[in-house]
Amino acid sequence: AGDKKLLFLWGDSTAAALYPGLKAEAAAHDFRIAHFETAGCPPILDDGLIARCDQLSDKVFAEIKASRPDILLVHAMWGPNNNLDRLRQSVDRLVALKIPRIIILGPVPVWKRGLPLALVNYYRFHHRIPDRITGGIVSGSDGDTRMQAFSTQAGVEFISAREALCNAEGCLTRAGPSSTEVIATDMVHLSEPGSQFLARAIAKSISNEAHFQMICVME
């Protein structure tokens, strides 16, 4: 296992929602996974908003420093309230650890009042479940654009979750044809099928190599 590349995931509850998909990728590609989860904390060092989050981020930084990953993947909701100045300081500290690749995964779509309700309302009027939805029901690409620009300025890589889930026709509502494969369980958290769908897309974007050792740290 020592020759396997180490991928370290750090994020908020949207990253935690990715875990089922990552676990499926582990089964398919012989990853090793360890994961630590707590709610409500962005992946930002010394954010200064919630004391327990700062304590956790210190712990995570120590874990990253000790494990010396080949790839660090950072994922969150990345809303307008995130302090990008503090995030930049965090990235600079992580870059100083000489991690070969630091990748920011952009935000997943945010469904106004939740995707399940959006589908129920759509079905009431159209008597079918749409493959994609666009317009005011789901968030636009502003957050994705903001985080892509941030990543470029910070000198780290960027992967768009939105590009995997959305196109000009709208954002995917299901990972497959079944009504049980709805992408999200609420406004923002991926379902297990949604997690598996995005994890496969991320795995392809991160590397063509099949074998990773993976540590997942989620908030």
Side-chain angles (χ1 to χ4, degrees):
D3 60 346
K4 296 177 182 178
K5 286 189 175 181
L6 173 60
L7 173 65
F8 196 117
L9 172 67
W10 181 20
D12 61 8
S13 60
T14 60
L18 267 176
Y19 178 69
L22 295 174
K23 186 177 180 181
E25 288 298 306
H29 300 295
D30 193 29
F31 298 172
R32 291 187 62 219
I33 299 180
H35 62 99
F36 306 87
E37 299 169 353
T38 190
C41 299
I44 299 174
L45 298 168
D46 301 323
D47 196 31
L49 296 178
I50 304 174
R52 70 177 180 85
C53 291
D54 287 344
Q55 293 168 1
L56 176 67
S57 68
D58 288 342
K59 177 183 175 182
V60 174
F61 185 79
E63 292 276 358
I64 294 170
K65 187 175 181 179
S67 61
R68 308 202 66 81
D70 298 279
I71 302 170
L72 175 64
L73 181 65
V74 185
H75 178 46
M77 283 185 65
W78 302 131
N81 293 329
N82 285 130
N83 188 327
L84 295 188
D85 290 336
R86 288 290 179 91
L87 179 59
R88 177 61 188 269
Q89 293 170 17
S90 302
V91 169
D92 289 345
R93 288 177 62 186
L94 292 165
V95 168
L97 297 179
K98 300 191 183 305
I99 298 168
R101 294 177 67 194
I102 297 174
I103 303 170
I104 290 180
L105 176 63
V108 295
V110 177
W111 298 90
K112 311 294 171 62
R113 300 204 300 164
L115 177 57
L117 181 60
L119 290 177
V120 168
N121 288 337
Y122 191 98
Y123 188 85
R124 286 171 59 191
F125 290 101
H126 302 280
H127 306 294
R128 65 180 181 86
I129 298 176
D131 294 329
R132 293 180 182 270
I133 290 179
T134 189
I137 293 174
V138 64
S139 60
S141 60
D142 290 355
D144 206 52
T145 301
R146 180 171 63 251
M147 293 312 298
Q148 186 167 21
F150 170 86
S151 302
T152 299
Q153 292 167 2
V156 295
E157 297 179 54
F158 178 79
I159 293 175
S160 173
R162 186 178 180 84
E163 286 185 5
L165 298 171
C166 307
N167 63 19
E169 297 175 0
C171 295
L172 278 173
T173 62
R174 293 174 292 173
S178 171
S179 61
T180 64
E181 296 176 281
V182 174
I183 284 282
T185 60
D186 54 19
M187 291 179 63
V188 71
H189 296 100
L190 296 172
S191 64
E192 186 164 340
S195 173
Q196 292 169 352
F197 183 93
L198 183 55
R200 284 193 297 269
I202 293 169
K204 292 174 184 176
S205 299
I206 290 173
S207 177
N208 292 324
E209 298 178 33
H211 298 285
F212 292 91
Q213 179 188 20
M214 181 179 289
I215 292 179
C216 305
V217 175
M218 305 170 187
E219 300 177 352

